[in-house]
Amino acid sequence: MSINATLFAQIVVFFILAWFTMSFVWPPITKALDERAKKIAEGLSAADKAKADLAAAHKRVEEQLASARADATQRLADAERLAQQMVEEAKTRASEEGAKIVAAAKAEAQQEVVKAREALREEVAALAVRAAEQILRREVNPSVHADLLNRLKAEL
């Protein structure tokens, strides 16, 4: 191989091309590569942040579900307690109403007994008056009086 002017010219052109490439071509390429790497890093950090946000959202959802379950359980317990209380109140009212009805029936029965006694007294009084009238209308005779009194006893 011979070293001549073409070799020197090629070396000069190579260095000019290398300088031109390093000055004008390489910086935009490295800048584009750096921007691309930066975008990729931002995307990865955004993905990590989204994963963390998703995990936090899952945790919040689980907490809200647990809270909703506890609230539902509490409401069911309150509803059962209220229903039991209403049943007890209804039983108490029914017992009181039953006692009032029984007391009213007893009072009515007592009034009926009093009325029956009064009627019986009036009837006995009327019978006694009738017997006295019959005795007074007849002459005073002990055998007739005894007979009338026996009939009066039979009527009573």
Side-chain angles (χ1 to χ4, degrees):
M1 172 163 167
S2 67
I3 298 180
N4 56 17
T6 56
L7 183 65
F8 287 117
Q10 286 177 355
I11 290 175
V12 169
V13 169
F14 175 76
F15 281 116
I16 291 173
L17 183 63
W19 171 81
F20 181 78
T21 302
M22 296 279 252
S23 297
F24 297 107
V25 176
W26 191 258
I29 291 174
T30 56
K31 183 179 176 185
L33 288 174
D34 288 343
E35 287 176 7
R36 177 92 174 170
K38 184 179 175 184
K39 285 182 181 179
I40 290 172
E42 287 174 357
L44 289 174
S45 68
D48 288 341
K49 183 180 178 187
K51 270 186 178 180
D53 289 346
L54 181 63
H58 279 297
K59 186 176 178 182
R60 282 193 311 269
V61 165
E62 289 298 324
E63 289 173 356
Q64 288 176 351
L65 282 175
S67 173
R69 285 185 192 116
D71 188 40
T73 304
Q74 180 64 34
R75 287 184 185 206
L76 282 174
D78 289 345
E80 287 176 4
R81 182 180 45 79
L82 182 60
Q84 188 67 23
Q85 184 180 7
M86 291 173 74
V87 166
E88 290 300 322
E89 287 176 3
K91 283 181 183 178
T92 304
R93 277 185 272 148
S95 296
E96 290 172 358
E97 194 67 30
K100 286 179 183 178
I101 290 171
V102 167
K106 284 183 180 179
E108 188 177 334
Q110 187 66 29
Q111 288 176 353
E112 290 296 321
V113 167
V114 169
K115 285 181 184 179
R117 283 185 184 165
E118 277 301 313
L120 185 61
R121 280 185 193 146
E122 288 177 11
E123 198 174 314
V124 168
L127 284 174
V129 169
R130 274 191 353 210
E133 282 177 6
Q134 288 178 4
I135 291 173
L136 291 177
R137 283 189 189 160
R138 292 190 181 186
E139 35 180 286
V140 179
N141 188 350
S143 65
V144 174
H145 291 255
D147 186 37
L148 282 174
L149 288 175
N150 286 336
R151 276 191 287 158
L152 183 63
K153 284 181 187 177
E155 285 184 24
L156 291 177

